[in-house]
DNA sequence: CTATATTGTGAATAGATATTCACAATGGAG
DNA sequence: CTCCATTGTGAATATCTATTCACAATATAG
């Protein structure tokens, strides 16, 4: 059966999506152009009408991931003004994201993506840097508003934020869902928030005097 | 030139070491039995005198990593009695470890290792679980001694511990050493410690009284 | 010393996979 | 309607890699 003729712009999206889905299921090892083509309903050679090769398909996958991350950032920005709450919600969204798209940590943490491809390695670094940047901005905003301790470096907080997500997602994935990622994330968030939050200046036993 | 005849026990170690080294350099994608054999100074087919196949070589690599991790645990246990200090030193050792053996995060976070190999996936999960277990024990010990807040779940602390290492190591690796992993880890540790440490029951904010 | 198990070698095999290419269908511009 | 650029197809190719196997060297037990 012959596949319908679809303009290359749409095909590119379909192919990138299919690749992301396959990575989620099979891992990068199982990602062949044949599999991707089959998923889209095409024949392997047809992929080359839309991409120069497998490398470019992987690049498109990276762009897709970058978009998903940035979408989350935009969403929490729209949802609330409170920086701490923004970070909290971004955490929840991120956890949900890696559960739906298991491929994301796989791609992000797999060397297969950038081994022997310096330009792709740089690209990946840029994507993560961009994400961290947004988190840092939230932290700075929180510090300006006096909600986050001024002495913690925004970069540190941002990297620690990743640290709350990555291992949890990884353990969850590795245990085939046995690891309770939701519970763990909730608890980690409490500890994390306590560490970065400027304590309210009320007069309880933890009295903290503004100097 | 013919390679010397070496008993299989030693060859197995050499092969596992060589594989770990190659993964550090090339990633899992570049890990071929030919490359491993060449590294050891053997011919590809010779590998099969010591391992049933590539799969078993990868298993041996996992065992190697597990050993390295447990060695670190044993070392910090011997170094100090203070649970908090143990955790701190384990952090430093772990950071150093992933810098020397870049392969470790690569292997741990790459799906290539366990994709389509449920038994190896389980094995990997077991290794990490075992490591987390040791950290949890340190936390519990710290709670018993009143040095760590009793309300934080040891499992949460252990997973967060991984979270301090993994993203840092990853960014460092991805940036070709540009990311300052040492500085970041130091700062993260301060925040982390503040979050889990039971505040001394003295009455100045910096004064620390030996009880 | 020599018999034998162990280890190393080179060639051959088999399977997978990315990529190319000549050819065919399709659909919109004119 | 007709042309032609675009998109899809099937077969062929080239490369890479794991694995097998018959044979060779080597060391150790007896």
């Amino acid at each position: 059966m012959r596949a319908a003729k679809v303009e290359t712009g749409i095909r590119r999206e379909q192919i990138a999506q299919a690749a992301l889905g396959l990575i989620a299921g099979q891992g990068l090892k199982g990602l062949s152009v044949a599999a991707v083509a089959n998923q889209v309903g095409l024949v392997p050679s047809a992929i080359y009408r839309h991409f120069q090769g497998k490398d470019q398909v992987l690049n498109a996958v990276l762009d897709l991931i970058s978009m998903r991350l940035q979408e989350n950032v935009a969403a929490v920005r729209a949802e609330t003004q409170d920086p701490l709450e923004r970070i909290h919600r971004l955490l929840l969204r991120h956890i949900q994201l890696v559960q739906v798209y298991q491929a994301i940590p796989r791609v992000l943490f797999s060397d297969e993506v950038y081994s022997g491809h310096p330009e792709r390695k740089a690209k990946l670094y840029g994507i993560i840097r961009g994400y961290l940047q947004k988190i840092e901005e939230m932290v700075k905003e929180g510090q300006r508003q006096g909600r986050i301790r001024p002495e913690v470096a925004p970069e540190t907080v941002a990297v620690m934020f990743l640290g709350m997500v990555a291992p949890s997602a990884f353990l969850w994935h590795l245990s085939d869902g046995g690891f309770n990622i939701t519970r763990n994330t909730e608890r980690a968030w409490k500890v994390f928030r306590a560490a970065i939050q400027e304590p309210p200046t009320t007069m309880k036993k933890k009295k903290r005097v503004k100097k």
Side-chain angles (χ1 to χ4, degrees), chain A residues 8 11-12 15 42-53:
Chain A
T8 205
R11 278 284 189 240
R12 290 174 68 102
I15 291 169
L42 289 177
V43 106
S45 57
I47 299 295
Y48 294 84
R49 289 274 174 234
H50 311 290
F51 289 97
Q52 287 192 20

Side-chain angles (χ1 to χ4, degrees), chain A residues 2-117:
Chain A
R2 196 178 181 89
K5 205 171 170 181
V6 176
E7 64 172 322
T8 205
I10 296 180
R11 278 284 189 240
R12 290 174 68 102
E13 291 179 20
Q14 291 178 343
I15 291 169
Q17 279 285 358
L20 191 62
L22 283 173
I23 292 172
Q26 308 297 333
L28 284 195
K29 179 62 160 289
L31 186 73
S32 62
V33 297
V36 174
N38 185 61
Q39 186 79 7
V40 181
L42 289 177
V43 106
S45 57
I47 299 295
Y48 294 84
R49 289 274 174 234
H50 311 290
F51 289 97
Q52 287 192 20
K54 193 183 178 183
D55 280 355
Q56 297 221 354
V57 174
L58 272 182
N59 283 341
V61 170
L62 285 187
D63 288 332
L64 210 57
I65 291 177
S66 179
M67 274 184 49
R68 294 279 180 276
L69 294 177
Q70 294 297 335
E71 281 168 9
N72 273 356
V73 171
V76 301
R77 274 173 182 266
E79 281 177 19
T80 174
Q81 296 295 327
D82 180 18
L84 266 181
E85 185 57 23
R86 275 182 178 168
I87 295 173
H88 183 207
R89 295 200 182 189
L90 187 62
L91 177 64
L92 298 181
R93 277 181 174 270
H94 197 131
I95 289 293
Q96 194 186 357
L97 186 66
V98 296
Q99 284 182 280
V100 176
Y101 293 92
Q102 296 181 35
I104 292 182
R106 287 195 184 215
V107 174
L108 260 40
F109 289 106
S110 174
D111 52 1
E112 187 123 356
V113 178
Y114 52 82
S115 182
H117 297 264

